[in-house]
């Protein structure tokens, strides 16, 4: 069996809704020398049947069917089982434009100093229409811009639009289990010190937004993990050991001072995360709400908090609205 030029790594769990369109967009690439690894992570819908049907009709499709182990385990298995030197990430709910693989492979072939290349994305909704809340920030198109975006807290890469050199990702330990729901950000921050990273200034992937996607359902955990990944990045830049390197799970937020061996880390993480949770229904209905209250008791920034009281009322969370209003009033008096 010939070794393909590109291995496409797609993990899917209960993805029947958009899977056909995602697979079709990969198989329609103008660059055809690839294998498509599709790992069915214990789906309970028709995902397996869809994958096996495509595998029976196109020899480039390699199905991996197993019990549910979660996305990070799936991504690491996909990278480990890839036969190509280049790995293209792809999600089961997005769409590749036909020239995506050709353009990214051409760039990596011409620029050996780059180990990761993404692309700009076109944001779409669940029906394929333009997403009205699309980000105005474009992903950086050179490594210097990538490093600047880290410092500015701007978007770095669109994960399902990325192509990377397999050996580089394996050399830094792949995706780390501790950074659930932000495993890609942590990986890019670790790779930033060993290779150059950027995105092509072309929209090569249609990135889908919808209510049930992971980033909507796990906003608090995702934002805490992202804040910690950036702290770990700064530890490495300063020449200090990364305290998250061997973790399977992040500890409770209150333990971050101990983890990083200095005071104020937990408070700093709350201060960074709290503003982003004010517009997240998942965060406001979940444990992110308690994080916001603790941030206020810390004397944190209050911008937008009274509007959040109104937002909670509109969400039907009257008791939480009253609790937030009470905390705002009491902290104002203390202040």
């Amino acid at each position: 069996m010939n070794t393909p030029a590109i291995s496409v790594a797609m993990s899917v769990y209960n993805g029947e809704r958009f899977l056909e369109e995602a697979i079709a967009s990969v198989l329609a690439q103008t660059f055809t020398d690839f294998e498509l690894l599709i790992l069915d992570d214990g789906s309970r819908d028709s995902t397996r049947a869809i994958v096996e049907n495509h595998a029976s009709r196109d020899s480039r499709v390699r199905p991996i069917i197993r019990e549910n182990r979660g996305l990070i385990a799936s991504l690491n298995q996909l990278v480990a089982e890839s036969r190509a030197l280049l790995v293209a990430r792809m999600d089961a709910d997005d769409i590749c434009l036909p020239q995506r693989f050709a353009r990214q492979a051409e760039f990596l072939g011409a620029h050996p100093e780059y180990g990761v290349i993404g692309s700009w994305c076109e944001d779409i909704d669940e029906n394929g229409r333009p997403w009205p809340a699309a980000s105005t920030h474009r992903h950086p198109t050179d490594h210097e811009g990538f490093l600047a975006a880290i410092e500015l807290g701007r978007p770095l890469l669109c994960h399902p639009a990325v192509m990377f050199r397999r050996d580089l990702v394996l050399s830094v330990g792949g995706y780390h289990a501790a950074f659930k729901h932000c495993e890609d950000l942590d990986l890019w921050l670790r790779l930033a010190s060993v290779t150059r990273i950027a995105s092509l200034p072309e929209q090569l992937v249609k990135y889908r937004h919808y209510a049930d996607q992971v980033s909507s359902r796990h906003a608090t955990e995702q934002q805490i993990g992202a804040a910690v990944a950036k702290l770990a990045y700064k530890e490495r830049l300063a020449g200090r050991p990364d305290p998250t390197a061997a973790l399977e799970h992040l500890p409770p937020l209150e333990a971050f001072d101990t983890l990083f061996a200095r005071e104020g880390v937990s408070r700093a993480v709350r201060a960074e995360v709290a503003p982003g949770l004010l517009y997240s229904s998942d965060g406001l209905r979940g444990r992110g709400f308690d994080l916001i209250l603790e941030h206020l008791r810390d004397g944190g920034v209050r911008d937008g908090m009274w509007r959040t009281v109104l937002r909670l009322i509109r969400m039907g969370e009257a008791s939480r609205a009253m609790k937030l209003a009470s905390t705002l009033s009491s902290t104002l008096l203390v202040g």
Side-chain angles (χ1 to χ4, degrees), residues 73 111 331:
H111 298 87
T331 54

mmCIF file of all heavy atoms in Angstrom, residues 73 111 331:
data_model
loop_
_atom_site.group_PDB
_atom_site.id
_atom_site.type_symbol
_atom_site.label_atom_id
_atom_site.label_comp_id
_atom_site.label_asym_id
_atom_site.label_seq_id
_atom_site.Cartn_x
_atom_site.Cartn_y
_atom_site.Cartn_z
ATOM 1 N N ALA A 73 -8.516 11.800 23.290
ATOM 2 C CA ALA A 73 -8.017 10.451 23.008
ATOM 3 C C ALA A 73 -8.178 10.120 21.524
ATOM 4 O O ALA A 73 -7.301 9.485 20.914
ATOM 5 C CB ALA A 73 -8.751 9.431 23.867
ATOM 6 N N HIS A 111 7.763 25.929 2.368
ATOM 7 C CA HIS A 111 8.218 26.597 3.593
ATOM 8 C C HIS A 111 8.494 25.558 4.682
ATOM 9 O O HIS A 111 7.675 25.347 5.585
ATOM 10 C CB HIS A 111 7.158 27.597 4.084
ATOM 11 C CG HIS A 111 6.877 28.700 3.111
ATOM 12 N ND1 HIS A 111 5.942 28.573 2.105
ATOM 13 C CD2 HIS A 111 7.401 29.947 2.989
ATOM 14 C CE1 HIS A 111 5.908 29.706 1.406
ATOM 15 N NE2 HIS A 111 6.778 30.546 1.914
ATOM 16 N N THR A 331 -20.881 44.388 47.110
ATOM 17 C CA THR A 331 -19.480 44.680 46.796
ATOM 18 C C THR A 331 -19.281 46.157 46.522
ATOM 19 O O THR A 331 -18.214 46.717 46.777
ATOM 20 C CB THR A 331 -19.002 43.846 45.601
ATOM 21 O OG1 THR A 331 -19.880 44.047 44.485
ATOM 22 C CG2 THR A 331 -18.939 42.374 45.935
#
